[in-house]
Amino acid sequence: MSQINFKLLHMFIAVAENKSFRQASEQLNRSQSAVSMQIKLLEDQVGAALFHRTTRRVELTAEGLQLLTHARRALGEWENGLREIREVIDIQRGTLSLACVPTIAATILPQALHAFQASYPGININLRELAAEDMLDCLRRREADFGIGPEMEGSTEFQFAPLFNDPIYALATRAFPFRKRSAVDLTELSAYPILLNSKSAALRSMLERALAVRNLQMKIKFEVEHSYTLAALAGAGLGVGILPKVALPRPVRKTMQALPIVNPTLERTVCIVSLRGQSFSPAASALTSVVHKFLKPRP
C-alpha cells in the first residue's frame, strides 16, 4: 500500500470518471495499454479489483467506489497544499509577525506598513511592540520573523542590518539654561535631574559608557516605561528627558527645547534584527525591502 503514488491515483480517477480505458488514455495522453498496466498495478497493491470490465464499458467495483472517494480527497488536499505554498511564494496570502521597539512602532513604522499592505493585501501582520531586550527574546524563541530596534553590542547570535542612525536628544523646558542653543554637552547635562526610559537598555548602556569615560555621574530623577510619559514629565519641568530624536514630540512646543547631546555625540543605530543565519520567507523579505525604503528618521 505504501507504494501507491499520486500518478496511479490520477490514472485511476481518469478511468473511473470516463468509464473507459480508451477515453482515459486519450485524456492522459498515454497509450491504452500503459493505462491498463498502471490500473492493474494499482489493483495488485490494493489487493482487490477496482473495475468491472466489459466489452462496452468499465464500472467501478464496491472497493473501487470507496477508493475513488478517498483518492479525490487526497488529490484535492495535495492540490490545495500546492496552491497555498504557491500563494505564499507569490506573496498573495500568509501571516507575518514583526517585533518592534515602541519608539519606532509609534512614529515612523506605520507609513511602511501602510505601503506594504497596499502592495500585499493578503498578508496579515502581527505587530508586537517590545523593548529591545524583550524583542531579542521574542526572536530567540522564533515568535517573530524579524525585529526592528537598536543595535545591541555583544549580541553575537543576532545579525543587525542598519536602517538609519538616530541621534540622542535632551528634552527640557526653557527653564533649564543650557549654555548652547544648538546642542548640549554631556558634562553640562550631568548637572541636571534626568528623566529616562526604564526599558531603553541600549540607551542606558550607551550613556553609562560615555559617563564612565569622563568620570561623570547622572542624577536620575524619574524612570518611566513610555517615551510619551517621559516627554510629559519633561514638559512639566521635572527634569531633562533623554530620548532618541525619532521619539521627540512633534511639534516641540515653544516652551520646550530639544537639543542633540554632544561631547560625545550620542546616537543609536536602528536595524533590522534577526537570528544569525535565519532565512526569510518571501513575505518577510518583501516587508524588509519596504521597511528599508520607508523607515527614515523624521527631519
Side-chain angles (χ1 to χ4, degrees), residues 172-231:
T173 65
R174 297 190 179 276
F176 291 86
F178 296 146
R179 289 192 296 269
K180 300 177 183 178
R181 290 305 170 194
S182 59
V184 57
D185 189 284
L186 184 64
T187 301
E188 180 184 4
L189 197 59
S190 64
Y192 295 116
I194 297 298
L195 313 172
L196 278 181
N197 187 322
S198 61
K199 296 290 187 178
S200 296
L203 175 56
R204 179 182 286 271
S205 297
M206 184 192 308
L207 277 171
E208 289 176 348
R209 288 195 301 271
L211 291 166
V213 168
R214 288 157 182 77
N215 197 27
L216 297 172
Q217 289 186 337
M218 277 191 168
K219 307 167 187 175
I220 300 176
K221 186 169 184 181
F222 287 104
E223 289 190 74
V224 296
E225 289 193 8
H226 302 290
S227 294
Y228 55 78
T229 305
L230 186 151

Side-chain angles (χ1 to χ4, degrees), residues 25-299:
S25 65
E26 291 174 357
Q27 177 183 319
L28 298 170
N29 198 26
R30 300 289 299 274
S31 69
Q32 185 171 334
S33 61
V35 174
S36 296
M37 289 177 61
Q38 291 296 309
I39 295 300
K40 181 63 170 65
L41 175 61
L42 179 59
E43 289 177 325
D44 291 342
Q45 292 176 354
V46 172
L50 300 174
F51 295 99
H52 297 297
R53 296 166 174 84
T54 69
T55 56
R56 293 189 175 183
R57 58 188 303 141
V58 175
E59 298 287 348
L60 286 166
T61 64
E63 292 79 11
L65 282 169
Q66 187 174 4
L67 179 61
L68 180 61
T69 299
H70 294 290
R72 282 173 170 163
R73 184 183 304 158
L75 288 179
E77 291 181 357
W78 172 253
E79 290 171 358
N80 286 339
L82 290 178
R83 183 171 57 253
E84 289 176 3
I85 292 171
R86 175 52 58 189
E87 288 175 349
V88 169
I89 293 173
D90 293 340
I91 321 180
Q92 296 178 16
R93 189 174 65 173
T95 300
L96 282 174
S97 183
L98 168 63
C100 184
V101 294
T103 51
I104 303 299
T107 54
I108 57 179
L109 180 63
Q111 182 184 8
L113 294 183
H114 182 271
F116 179 82
Q117 293 277 249
S119 297
Y120 307 103
I123 302 296
N124 295 317
I125 299 176
N126 174 25
L127 175 61
R128 303 186 63 178
E129 277 190 283
L130 298 170
E133 290 288 354
D134 295 332
M135 178 190 71
L136 296 184
D137 286 338
C138 178
L139 294 174
R140 194 177 284 115
R141 295 190 299 269
R142 299 184 181 274
E143 294 175 356
D145 292 273
F146 65 91
I148 300 175
E151 184 174 10
M152 306 281 281
E153 292 188 1
S155 299
T156 56
E157 64 185 306
F158 298 95
Q159 51 191 15
F160 298 88
L163 290 168
F164 62 89
N165 291 329
D166 192 15
I168 306 304
Y169 269 60
L171 177 69
T173 65
R174 297 190 179 276
F176 291 86
F178 296 146
R179 289 192 296 269
K180 300 177 183 178
R181 290 305 170 194
S182 59
V184 57
D185 189 284
L186 184 64
T187 301
E188 180 184 4
L189 197 59
S190 64
Y192 295 116
I194 297 298
L195 313 172
L196 278 181
N197 187 322
S198 61
K199 296 290 187 178
S200 296
L203 175 56
R204 179 182 286 271
S205 297
M206 184 192 308
L207 277 171
E208 289 176 348
R209 288 195 301 271
L211 291 166
V213 168
R214 288 157 182 77
N215 197 27
L216 297 172
Q217 289 186 337
M218 277 191 168
K219 307 167 187 175
I220 300 176
K221 186 169 184 181
F222 287 104
E223 289 190 74
V224 296
E225 289 193 8
H226 302 290
S227 294
Y228 55 78
T229 305
L230 186 151
L233 294 177
L238 293 172
V240 179
I242 297 179
L243 70 172
K245 181 181 180 181
V246 75
L248 290 173
R250 296 302 174 106
V252 175
R253 300 201 310 265
K254 292 182 179 180
T255 57
M256 303 290 291
Q257 53 185 335
L259 304 176
I261 299 172
V262 296
N263 296 324
T265 298
L266 299 181
E267 64 179 16
R268 65 177 183 171
T269 302
V270 177
C271 303
I272 296 286
V273 188
S274 60
L275 283 170
R276 192 168 296 280
Q278 176 183 350
S279 297
F280 284 1
S281 68
S285 294
L287 179 54
T288 59
S289 295
V290 173
V291 165
H292 273 282
K293 180 180 179 181
F294 282 90
L295 232 68
K296 297 176 182 178
R298 299 179 297 184

